[in-house]
Amino acid sequence: MEKATFAGGCFWCMVKPFDQFEGIEGVVSGYTGGHVENPSYEQVKTGTTGHLEVVEITFDPALFPYEQLLDIYWQQIDPTDNEGQFQDRGEQYKPAIFVHNEQQRTLAEQSKEALDASGRYTKPVNTEILDATPFYAAEDYHQDYYKKSADHYEEDRANSGRDEFLNAVWEPEKAGK
């Protein structure tokens, strides 16, 4: 098993797209990249801890290659906006890929370059690729939020502007929610 860590705005919206495939063993909402040990949601949402909201994915690369995770990731975010994502603004919501080894770094850089060269966006793809740092799982009520609080999840997602953007950039069936 390997780990993959992606920041793409509110972590609630980043779980479901990954949480449906054979070879993905788990998707955990959490925080990484900051300077505070074991931060709480209340601390992270202030934007002062340096942490980003992320999902940490445990996957079997023989069944679900890292390249496929990257494809899904790019189709969930606005990779040109490093000041937040959709309605969620601030450093803690910016998109980033946290790599766990050099192979992941190479694949992430190649996929970012290909996306930037695709002409899909009018602005440059500026999502950062960073070394993985300690990951802290978010509080239990944030885990699998799309299942636990389906109505609130759907309402929040509908109001965020995420789906409108993704549907305009990608084919609707690929903009998984």
Side-chain angles (χ1 to χ4, degrees):
M1 293 294 163
E2 289 187 28
K3 301 280 187 192
T5 306
F6 300 119
C10 176
F11 48 37
W12 291 348
C13 291
M14 294 297 293
V15 174
K16 186 177 180 183
F18 295 101
D19 194 29
Q20 54 188 315
F21 300 101
E22 182 179 347
I24 295 182
E25 299 300 314
V27 182
V28 179
S29 296
Y31 319 108
T32 198
H35 53 80
V36 174
E37 277 190 46
N38 213 15
S40 69
Y41 175 70
E42 293 302 317
Q43 290 173 304
V44 172
K45 76 177 188 177
T46 68
T48 61
T49 67
H51 290 284
L52 281 68
E53 286 195 14
V54 298
V55 290
E56 184 181 75
I57 301 162
T58 303
F59 68 103
D60 180 344
L63 295 174
F64 206 91
Y66 187 70
E67 296 92 329
Q68 284 184 268
L69 292 173
L70 290 167
D71 289 344
I72 294 169
Y73 172 69
W74 294 123
Q75 294 172 25
Q76 306 311 310
I77 66 166
D78 176 354
T80 69
D81 184 357
N82 64 2
E83 295 178 8
Q85 289 291 283
F86 312 106
Q87 73 178 356
D88 298 308
R89 310 311 301 160
E91 182 81 7
Q92 69 275 29
Y93 297 115
K94 73 178 187 175
I97 298 171
F98 290 88
V99 295
H100 293 264
N101 56 50
E102 284 308 306
Q103 180 184 18
Q104 285 187 2
R105 178 181 307 286
T106 299
L107 294 170
E109 288 173 351
Q110 289 171 348
S111 71
K112 177 181 173 180
E113 289 169 12
L115 184 64
D116 198 34
S118 73
R120 189 175 293 275
Y121 299 97
T122 58
K123 297 184 283 184
V125 172
N126 60 15
T127 300
E128 291 184 276
I129 299 171
L130 305 166
D131 289 331
T133 59
F135 171 81
Y136 302 98
E139 297 80 355
D140 285 343
Y141 70 94
H142 288 299
Q143 304 304 328
D144 296 319
Y145 195 81
Y146 79 96
K147 293 177 186 174
K148 291 179 184 173
S149 300
D151 290 343
H152 186 252
Y153 166 79
E154 291 296 335
E155 180 182 336
D156 187 67
R157 186 166 177 120
N159 292 330
S160 73
R162 184 181 293 258
D163 291 333
E164 291 83 0
F165 176 85
L166 297 176
N167 287 332
V169 174
W170 300 95
E171 299 116 64
E173 68 274 7
K174 289 187 176 181
K177 48 178 177 160

